[in-house]
Amino acid sequence: MPNLKLIGMRLKSVTNIQKITQSMKMVSAAKFARAERDLKSARPLGAAAQAFYEQADITTDKEAPKELFVTITSDRGLAGAVHGNVSKNIRAQLHEKMAKGDDLSNVKVICVGDKSRAFFQRFFPGQLIMVGSEIGRLPPQFGDAAIIANNILNCGYEFDIGNLVYNKYKTVVSYDTTNIPFFSQEVVTNSDKTTVYDSLDADVIQSYMEFSLASLIYYTLKEGATSEQSSRMTAMENSSKNAAEMIEKLRITFNRTRQAVITGELIEIISGAAAL
């Protein structure tokens, strides 16, 4: 027979957990509303930065270009699979390259957010070259994106093609893990259609590349933050529901056990009285 005291302790513990998850859901709902408002103003900035690469049709003709993957995650968990999907997306692309027989020595990874660091330290430690932490504790600002962009450009790895892998917010309950390409200054300068722009020298291209990369990172940080808060809100709601179901089952078990204990004591009292 289950111990009545242990069941009571378990019931109290689950009740406290339910209170925590309900509080976290309320906090995430408030943060999500702010993140969604900020995202509306950041999306035009990201669209403008992507339009240059699309209209200029920038590509590289190298047989084995050096690639750089940048994971846009954060340091905070309890948000479902929102961070794991970014890491798994890159892993799938790397496995596809390995299946084709490509060498991964030309592929490197930079982790923005501590949640993706452990994943790549385990599966692809040779590709990980830099980790950025303290991401996600506060709403992302353009200054944060500029610092990240500066570290990417000065990481010491001369890449040709880069990919920002992030979660694109769709609705409260859904998001898509998406890639945004970006290119090095050399690739942009040598592109055929870049020459149609007037007054393009090395300094202008360098300045634009720095601003463009910072704009893309700012946009992806905002998309990722909104997806994270919506996912955390949903995860905490599901956790609260699961805790409520567990509390109901524990209360039934507690009452049945208490009744069994009382019945057993009454039987002992009646049996003792009958013996006398």
Side-chain angles (χ1 to χ4, degrees):
M1 183 179 296
N3 191 321
L4 194 62
K5 184 177 180 181
L6 292 178
I7 296 175
M9 292 173 60
R10 177 66 172 167
L11 181 60
K12 183 178 180 181
S13 174
V14 176
T15 303
N16 291 336
I17 292 174
Q18 185 188 38
K19 292 178 181 178
I20 293 172
T21 55
Q22 288 175 341
S23 300
M24 290 186 66
K25 177 191 172 184
M26 295 175 62
V27 173
S28 296
K31 290 184 176 180
F32 167 74
R34 177 180 177 180
E36 193 174 25
R37 288 196 306 268
D38 293 344
L39 177 60
K40 291 180 181 179
S41 61
R43 275 181 168 168
L45 196 63
Q50 295 178 67
F52 171 75
Y53 294 118
E54 294 172 357
Q55 295 180 7
D57 193 20
I58 298 174
T59 56
T60 178
D61 54 358
K62 293 184 179 180
E63 295 183 0
K66 294 183 177 181
E67 293 187 60
L68 177 66
F69 288 93
V70 181
T71 68
I72 305 297
T73 59
S74 75
D75 294 355
R76 305 189 63 196
L78 298 177
V82 67
H83 301 312
N85 287 341
V86 172
S87 301
K88 290 177 181 178
N89 181 281
I90 297 178
R91 181 177 67 177
Q93 295 185 54
L94 296 182
H95 282 169
E96 184 178 351
K97 292 179 180 296
M98 294 170 63
K100 293 179 180 178
D102 296 342
D103 186 12
L104 293 185
S105 61
N106 288 338
V107 180
K108 299 297 180 184
V109 177
I110 292 179
C111 294
V112 177
D114 199 58
K115 281 299 175 181
S116 55
R117 173 184 56 82
F119 183 92
F120 286 100
Q121 281 184 338
R122 177 182 177 186
F123 292 102
F124 299 99
Q127 275 61 52
L128 185 61
I129 59 174
M130 186 182 295
V131 178
S133 57
E134 297 298 323
I135 307 295
R137 300 185 185 277
L138 296 173
Q141 304 295 330
F142 191 84
D144 303 328
I147 293 173
I148 295 171
N150 184 58
N151 286 325
I152 291 175
L153 294 174
N154 298 319
C155 67
Y157 178 66
E158 299 295 334
F159 64 91
D160 298 311
I161 303 175
N163 280 288
L164 296 172
V165 185
Y166 70 104
N167 292 309
K168 185 175 182 179
Y169 171 75
K170 293 178 63 179
T171 64
V172 178
V173 294
S174 65
Y175 55 87
D176 285 335
T177 304
T178 314
N179 290 21
I180 291 183
F182 62 96
F183 300 87
S184 65
Q185 181 178 347
E186 179 185 357
V187 174
V188 173
T189 304
N190 296 331
S191 179
D192 296 334
K193 292 188 177 181
T194 308
T195 57
V196 302
Y197 295 93
D198 296 332
S199 303
L200 274 185
D201 55 18
D203 293 336
V204 173
I205 293 179
Q206 181 180 359
S207 299
Y208 177 78
M209 295 304 299
E210 292 173 356
F211 177 76
S212 173
L213 181 57
S215 300
L216 287 175
I217 292 175
Y218 176 68
Y219 161 67
T220 55
L221 285 174
K222 286 296 186 183
E223 288 276 7
T226 308
S227 301
E228 178 184 344
Q229 295 300 340
S230 65
S231 180
R232 181 175 290 113
M233 187 170 60
T234 304
M236 292 302 104
E237 182 180 2
N238 294 334
S239 298
S240 299
K241 290 180 180 178
N242 293 337
E245 293 177 1
M246 189 176 295
I247 288 171
E248 183 179 358
K249 292 179 181 179
L250 286 172
R251 281 177 178 168
I252 293 173
T253 304
F254 181 84
N255 292 333
R256 286 177 178 174
T257 305
R258 183 178 61 180
Q259 291 172 359
V261 170
I262 294 173
T263 303
E265 291 177 352
L266 288 174
I267 292 173
E268 290 177 0
I269 293 171
I270 295 171
S271 299
L276 293 175

